[in-house]
Structures are given as C-alpha cells and as structure tokens.
Amino acid sequence: LHFFNDSLIIFASNRPGGYGGYDLYYATQTNNVWSNPINFGPNINTSNNEISPYLIKNSKYLYFSSNRLETLGGYDIFKSEYSANQWSAPINLNSPINSAGDDIDIEISSDGMSAIFSSNRISAKGGYDLFIAYFKEQIIDQLEYTETPIFAQVLFEMDEIINDTIVKQPETKEGKNVLPIRELICKPLFFSSDEDVLNSTNTNQLRR
C-alpha cells in the first residue's frame, strides 16, 4: 500500500476482474469516503504480478515491481510515465538496480538523488535485504508536487463509478459546463527573507 497523500492510495490486489495475478489499483477519498478501486489498466498490468507501487511527488512517474517476462529474473523494478492521458509501456530499470533475484518496494528519496529498495539477490546477507541506489542524474520530478494527479482527477469530479465507467457527468451552472480545476506545478522558490520572496527570479518563475 502506497499513500501518495491523504486522499490517494495505490495498492496491489488479486481481486476478480483484473488482468491476472496481482494488479495495481488506485482509490481516492472525497468527504471521508473512499471511491471504488480503479485498475491502472493494461498498459501497467499484465497476466503476471504487479506489486509494490510508488508514485513520485509530481505524479509523472509510477515505479513498481513485476515478474513479467521482461525481467532479469524474479521481480524487477519498472518505471512508467503518464503522458497524453495514458501510461507509457513500462521500462525495466535493469542492472545494477535489478538483479536475477527479486527486487521490490522501491522508494525515491525526497531530493531525487537516490532510492531505497528490498532485494534477495545473491549479495544479500539472507532473505530480503535493504539496498540504496545512487543516481547519476537527479530525478527533478521528485522536487515538484501535485495535490491531485491528472490520472485521478476525474474521481474527484464525479459521484459514482460502476464497472470503471463514469455514470454521472459534472454538473453545469447557468447552462455552462463546469471545467475541472487545473493544477499548475511550480518549481521551488528561493529567497533569503520574507520580503525577498517576490524577487525578480521568483516572479518570472510564477509568471511562467
């Protein structure tokens, strides 16, 4: 179970209606009520097992483990990007992060420079050990944050989902469609004092 925030959870389940084995699902909470879980779909899930989800802070990349055919052996860690309203084909992180053993439960550090994960690879001291991977390039997307990921926004705007289908459209006001709230992500703002928060650099960043 991965809590992205207080209103969004991602988890693995082998419930009926999936694509086979364990699939990844997400659910959102509105007014203290959790929605029905939604399957991430065939771009993420396969007839094998998909487990251990982790969504980075700006929700652009989903990391998870799977024992699908494209692994180095056992469970490998994969990454998928959300773009153009769909998840891309997952990419294997490959060696040295993945091994011939089982590599699961990845979590990216808050600065995007490293990750911690669990593995029972040959070099483990026994069973599953914890390992740290240091990246050559920083994962900048981990420094940004969005409250409501785009792929989950529809659940906040409807009343009910039946069999993964929206059965009630957003209401209208005065004959005009109510457009969903669009969240904009801004990179961190740097300032030396409270009076300096709207310096020229930050102001230009906010305008962009």
Side-chain angles (χ1 to χ4, degrees):
L1 180 67
H2 171 59
F3 276 87
F4 180 74
N5 55 31
D6 292 341
S7 301
L8 175 64
I9 56 174
I10 304 175
F11 61 96
S13 174
N14 62 353
R15 65 185 60 205
Y19 293 90
Y22 280 88
D23 283 2
L24 296 185
Y25 293 80
Y26 67 90
T28 61
Q29 182 181 219
T30 305
N31 297 325
N32 295 321
V33 177
W34 286 100
S35 69
N36 292 325
I38 302 298
N39 193 296
F40 270 90
N43 286 1
I44 296 292
N45 295 310
T46 65
S47 58
N48 295 90
N49 295 319
E50 282 70 43
I51 61 173
S52 306
Y54 180 82
L55 186 66
I56 67 170
K57 296 301 182 182
N58 73 350
S59 73
K60 186 176 181 180
Y61 293 102
L62 175 68
Y63 292 81
F64 63 93
S65 292
S66 175
N67 62 350
R68 60 184 65 195
L69 297 178
E70 302 91 343
T71 70
L72 304 181
Y75 284 90
D76 278 5
I77 299 171
F78 290 80
K79 177 180 72 173
S80 177
E81 179 182 4
Y82 191 77
S83 178
N85 296 322
Q86 65 178 356
W87 290 101
S88 66
I91 298 175
N92 191 315
L93 296 190
N94 288 319
S95 178
I97 292 180
N98 288 320
S99 67
D102 296 318
D103 308 289
I104 61 176
D105 294 327
I106 190 171
E107 183 169 335
I108 310 299
S109 64
S110 59
D111 61 3
M113 293 298 296
S114 63
I116 188 171
F117 62 98
S118 181
S119 177
N120 62 357
R121 62 187 61 197
I122 295 178
S123 59
K125 297 184 180 297
Y128 282 90
D129 285 5
L130 295 180
F131 291 83
I132 297 178
Y134 297 97
F135 302 131
K136 292 182 178 179
E137 296 184 4
Q138 184 180 25
I139 301 177
I140 301 297
D141 297 277
Q142 183 71 339
L143 302 180
E144 303 173 343
Y145 178 73
T146 181
E147 183 68 24
T148 306
I150 296 177
F151 69 86
Q153 283 184 6
V154 66
L155 291 184
F156 289 91
E157 300 161 8
M158 63 192 177
D159 291 337
E160 187 177 7
I161 285 185
I162 297 179
N163 296 328
D164 297 358
T165 301
I166 301 175
V167 297
K168 183 174 182 180
Q169 300 297 329
E171 297 179 355
T172 60
K173 293 182 180 179
E174 299 177 356
K176 297 181 180 180
N177 292 330
V178 178
L179 298 178
I181 295 175
R182 182 182 179 189
E183 295 202 14
L184 302 179
I185 299 174
C186 179
K187 293 183 178 180
L189 305 178
F190 298 97
F191 54 96
S192 57
S193 64
D194 291 346
E195 293 76 15
D196 187 46
V197 66
L198 290 180
N199 56 52
S200 59
T201 300
N202 288 348
T203 301
N204 289 334
Q205 176 65 34
L206 290 171
R207 287 173 177 168
R208 285 196 297 269

